[in-house]
Amino acid sequence: MFFRKLACSFCGRDNAEVAKLVAGPRVFICDRCAYETIRIMETTPPSAPSPVARPPLWRRLLDWSRASRPLELHSARQSG
C-alpha cells in the first residue's frame, strides 16, 4: 500500500521532524511555521485599511439572504 509522505508546505519538514502537522486544503503547516507566523502577525504593525472597506462576511451573508427572499418568493409564485 502506498502512503504519501506528509510534509510542511512552508519549510518542507516531514511529519517525523515536527511535533504537529496541521492539514489544510491541499497544504500542511508544522508547529514551528505556525509559531513563526503568529510571531510575525503579532509584531508587525497593521497596514492602513483598504480604501474600499468591505463589511464583515456575516453582514454580507445577512444582507444577501434578506435580498434573495423576495426573489425566491416572486419566482415561486410565477412558476406555480
Side-chain angles (χ1 to χ4, degrees):
M1 185 179 267
F2 178 77
F3 290 100
R4 190 173 129 202
K5 188 174 183 179
L6 304 179
C8 178
S9 302
F10 297 89
C11 68
R13 293 182 186 101
D14 68 7
N15 59 339
E17 298 176 273
V18 297
K20 292 183 181 179
L21 193 62
V22 179
R26 296 182 300 274
V27 295
F28 299 92
I29 187 166
C30 71
D31 56 326
R32 295 177 186 178
C33 289
Y35 174 79
E36 188 66 18
T37 303
I38 292 169
R39 186 190 66 76
I40 291 169
M41 295 297 285
E42 288 179 346
T43 59
T44 306
S47 60
S50 170
V52 180
R54 295 180 69 182
L57 180 61
W58 66 268
R59 174 69 68 190
R60 288 183 280 155
L61 289 173
L62 183 63
D63 293 344
W64 174 81
S65 69
R66 287 180 181 158
S68 65
R69 284 186 187 146
L71 293 175
E72 290 171 4
L73 292 174
H74 181 69
S75 63
R77 287 183 190 149
Q78 284 186 347
S79 65

